[in-house]
Amino acid sequence: MIARIWSGKSPLWVLLWPFSLLYGAVSGIIRLSYRLGLRKSWRSPIPVVVVGNLTAGGNGKTPLVIWLVQALQQQGYEVGVVSRGYGGKAESYPLLVTAQTATDQAGDEPVLIAQRTNAPVAVAPRRRAAIERLLAKYPLDVIITDDGLQHYALQRNVEIVVVDGERRFGNGWWLPAGPMRERASRLKQVDAVVTNGGTALAGEIAMTLSPGLAVNMRSGEKRALSTFKEVVAMAGIGHPPRFFNTLRQQGLTPVAEIAFADHHAYHKAELVALTQPEQPLLMTEKDAVKCRTFAQENWWYLPVDAQLQGDALAPLMQKITALCKAEQ
């Protein structure tokens, strides 16, 4: 229902329109207050790159963060990552995150980033606190924030917005009548727009998510998707259809496609009940980090890697690396 409202296919968005005007007014006032200096923002002693979006729901920020961290690491830079840690409830903040940190403490995305990159990761509601915790422990050249475009309490050197190439901006209205946290005109002020799937517009960087081999969650065995037959697919991400479409594009037609809410807290019994004995359960890597402690022998996950291309990519990376060099 929400998808139909936000896309404009359902006229119910009109009923929510007054609340959208209120949301837009409040968010505009908050942003203006930072511009005028009525609210204080903090500048990190090292460069900050924000990877965020204008819409609610998953657009592919985390795969881009992982790609960016790894690209900078390959050039010899020390990269730290901070996040709000949505879905996690740590006993205290800021929390340093490793690949072994429980997702109910840190949230799923920070744990996944730590697992894939081995970069220092910290989470806290206030990004400043997370950055200061990292800098107290690690000699870093740059900080990347997973989300936080609207967290204006933190100054940034580079802003990157990820756009869902299929859904774009729906009906274009602020929450709750539409999917927008900020209006599309905000794109004119950012350093780069990365379009995940669909067709990238002029000046945008095209991103595709390339699936790898499926990985068994118990044994670590890797298998091509073509070797699976009666597989049950599940996803608890911002836009589950993207995962199911990826499987079909790879020639795999699941016998069932089960979508959970983003950041859903899984329990062993509910997932065991999804399949018949010996029937494989295939999930996203983001889901897998939440299920690793009770994974069954027939559970698998599919890692994906971001692939970027476009004329705007080189200038973006040159700007970020120049900032990093200045810190060395």
Side-chain angles (χ1 to χ4, degrees), residues 139-205:
L140 301 175
D141 299 311
V142 64
I143 294 289
I144 297 175
T145 75
D146 182 19
D147 209 358
L149 185 68
Q150 290 79 33
H151 186 72
Y152 291 111
L154 174 65
Q155 297 182 32
R156 64 288 306 266
N157 301 85
V158 176
E159 290 183 324
I160 303 172
V161 168
V162 184
V163 173
D164 185 311
E166 298 289 344
R167 294 177 293 169
R168 296 297 293 189
F169 305 121
N171 61 15
W173 279 103
W174 291 293
L175 295 164
M180 307 301 291
R181 296 174 176 175
E182 296 183 88
R183 300 303 289 269
S185 57
R186 178 75 166 84
L187 294 181
K188 299 176 182 178
Q189 302 164 351
V190 304
D191 296 273
V193 178
V194 175
T195 302
N196 181 17
T199 302
L201 304 181
E204 298 180 348
I205 298 170

Side-chain angles (χ1 to χ4, degrees), residues 7 69 92 143 159 182 198 258 261 320:
S7 68
V69 171
S92 63
I143 294 289
E159 290 183 324
E182 296 183 88
I258 302 165
I320 295 174

